[in-house]
Amino acid sequence: MAEKKTILIFTPYYVPGFKGGGPIRSISNLVDSIGNDFNFKIITYDRDLGDESPYDGIVRNSWNNLGDTKVFYASHDWLSFGNIKSLLENTDYDSIYLNSFFSFKFSIVQVLLRKLKLVPYRPIILAPRGEFSPGALNIKKLKKSVFMTLSKLVNMHSNIIWHATSLEEQEHIKKNFGSAIATQVVPNLPSANKGDFKNRNKEKESLKLVFLSRISPKKNLDGALRMLRDVSFPLTFNVYGPIEDLDYWKECQKIIKTLPGNVKVNYKGEINNNKVQDVFKRHDAFFFPTHGENYGHVIVEALLSKCLVILSDQTPWRNLEKSGVGWDIPLGEHNHFSEVFKEIYNMDDIEMKRRSDNIN
């Protein structure tokens, strides 16, 4: 039997973390699914997104055994150019898997080291994780445009295999780097945890929406809040997720103060992955007008919980209204969002159950 190949993964956040969102689940689901066929070594930060303290029970700046997977939990200051070079020189692996295009410590350094022939040559697979969607590129647009232009001028990302999780993401990648680049479309693997939420209750003449994601410009919480300004009926909007960008959150709080009295917004804080489906069970719909998702694990969790979804058209989840499980609406169509809010508000238990039963 042939010896298993070893994949060296660089990702900013990994288990036991959960605040880093979808990429953590993407990698952990990958390891769980094909860990019998490949060896995985993962290099990540020693703490979760926004935390000041490292995880309990780990050895920092060293390899740890996490089941059959080896994980190097690095402190922020330890993960320097020189130490990344040393890891690449002294670790046995067959290929590198990167989970960002723009991350300096978790993508740019690795690609640059190989380009300059400062480390042994190994194949690199790069998953941009939705970074090339139009909405995502519009955030810090100038900075991103300059780096992309420079990287193409020096042919920095030559001989790289691009991992797209949908045909739409593949189009975004090729639009920015040319149709001749090597891309592979492989969907993310969903969690195997499917809840049993057959009996959903809908209170008459009420609407409970939930936003569950990192609080950062890409996720468009500010846009979601602005769409609630014209709501004239009782509506509760509960917001869950780590505050990744404090200045952005302050802007969101300013918008909350401008909302009418019939709209109640509650920030519920961070939530562990094992509680996500319980949260969706308590709400009528997941409201997530994101600027761009290459997959959207949280969308899958909502659907597995038989919770209707109200999304932007910047995700792979399309034609939802035709399927009867939700809506995907262009971000500029604020009136369309308002019509959907009113439609769900007017639903009774029977109609809500009928819609939920469409989600298989």
Side-chain angles (χ1 to χ4, degrees), residues 127-174:
R129 301 292 178 197
E131 291 175 326
F132 295 136
S133 69
L137 285 176
N138 277 330
I139 301 169
K140 299 181 180 179
K141 184 175 182 179
L142 179 59
K143 183 178 179 180
K144 291 178 179 177
S145 178
V146 169
F147 174 66
M148 289 170 67
T149 299
L150 290 174
S151 71
K152 285 184 277 191
L153 280 174
V154 299
N155 208 21
M156 182 173 165
H157 289 80
S158 60
N159 298 319
I160 279 179
I161 300 170
W162 298 83
H163 173 201
T165 56
S166 67
L167 291 174
E168 184 177 40
E169 185 175 31
Q170 183 184 50
E171 292 175 5
H172 293 158
I173 296 170
K174 290 192 172 186

Side-chain angles (χ1 to χ4, degrees), residues 314-338:
Q314 299 298 305
T315 84
W317 301 92
R318 308 299 294 275
N319 301 313
L320 297 174
E321 190 169 5
K322 183 178 180 180
S323 302
V325 301
W327 299 262
D328 47 283
I329 305 171
L331 285 171
E333 296 184 6
H334 288 196
N335 289 338
H336 194 170
F337 281 99
S338 297

Side-chain angles (χ1 to χ4, degrees), residues 71-295:
V71 183
F72 193 102
Y73 290 106
S75 60
H76 284 248
D77 56 352
W78 188 93
L79 207 59
S80 64
F81 188 95
N83 283 336
I84 293 172
K85 178 176 179 292
S86 178
L87 278 173
L88 291 174
E89 289 175 325
N90 298 305
T91 302
D92 292 328
Y93 59 94
D94 297 288
S95 60
I96 300 173
Y97 186 80
L98 307 175
N99 283 273
S100 171
F101 175 80
F102 292 109
S103 173
F104 182 73
K105 291 186 177 183
F106 289 90
S107 181
I108 296 173
V109 169
Q110 290 79 359
V111 174
L112 188 59
L113 284 167
R114 194 187 73 163
K115 179 68 177 178
L116 297 175
K117 300 181 179 180
L118 296 176
V119 295
Y121 181 91
R122 296 289 188 277
I124 291 180
I125 303 166
L126 196 156
R129 301 292 178 197
E131 291 175 326
F132 295 136
S133 69
L137 285 176
N138 277 330
I139 301 169
K140 299 181 180 179
K141 184 175 182 179
L142 179 59
K143 183 178 179 180
K144 291 178 179 177
S145 178
V146 169
F147 174 66
M148 289 170 67
T149 299
L150 290 174
S151 71
K152 285 184 277 191
L153 280 174
V154 299
N155 208 21
M156 182 173 165
H157 289 80
S158 60
N159 298 319
I160 279 179
I161 300 170
W162 298 83
H163 173 201
T165 56
S166 67
L167 291 174
E168 184 177 40
E169 185 175 31
Q170 183 184 50
E171 292 175 5
H172 293 158
I173 296 170
K174 290 192 172 186
K175 180 180 178 181
N176 287 283
F177 286 89
S179 59
I181 62 171
T183 60
Q184 291 288 333
V185 178
V186 182
N188 277 327
L189 298 168
S191 170
N193 180 29
K194 184 174 182 178
D196 182 15
F197 301 132
K198 294 181 180 179
N199 299 316
R200 298 186 61 85
N201 297 316
K202 169 67 169 63
E203 293 182 14
K204 189 176 181 180
E205 296 185 346
S206 74
L207 178 56
K208 295 179 181 178
L209 301 180
V210 62
F211 177 98
L212 200 160
S213 186
R214 291 178 290 118
I215 296 176
S216 68
K218 181 183 175 184
K219 305 303 181 180
N220 199 27
L221 175 60
D222 63 319
L225 292 167
R226 289 189 179 95
M227 292 182 205
L228 302 181
R229 283 173 169 165
D230 297 327
V231 172
S232 59
F233 48 83
L235 184 152
T236 299
F237 187 39
N238 291 324
V239 176
Y240 291 82
I243 298 173
E244 181 177 311
D245 186 325
L246 183 58
D247 290 336
Y248 176 74
W249 172 236
K250 290 178 180 178
E251 291 300 315
C252 291
Q253 289 178 305
K254 291 178 182 178
I255 299 171
I256 292 172
K257 293 178 181 179
T258 69
L259 297 178
N262 54 287
V263 176
K264 305 297 182 184
V265 179
N266 307 301
Y267 176 58
K268 297 288 191 174
E270 303 159 356
I271 183 169
N272 204 302
N273 292 336
N274 59 11
K275 301 293 185 182
V276 166
Q277 290 191 1
D278 289 335
V279 168
F280 284 129
K281 181 181 179 181
R282 298 194 297 269
H283 293 84
D284 302 316
F286 173 40
F287 182 28
F288 191 44
T290 174
H291 283 298
E293 303 295 320
N294 68 305
Y295 179 69

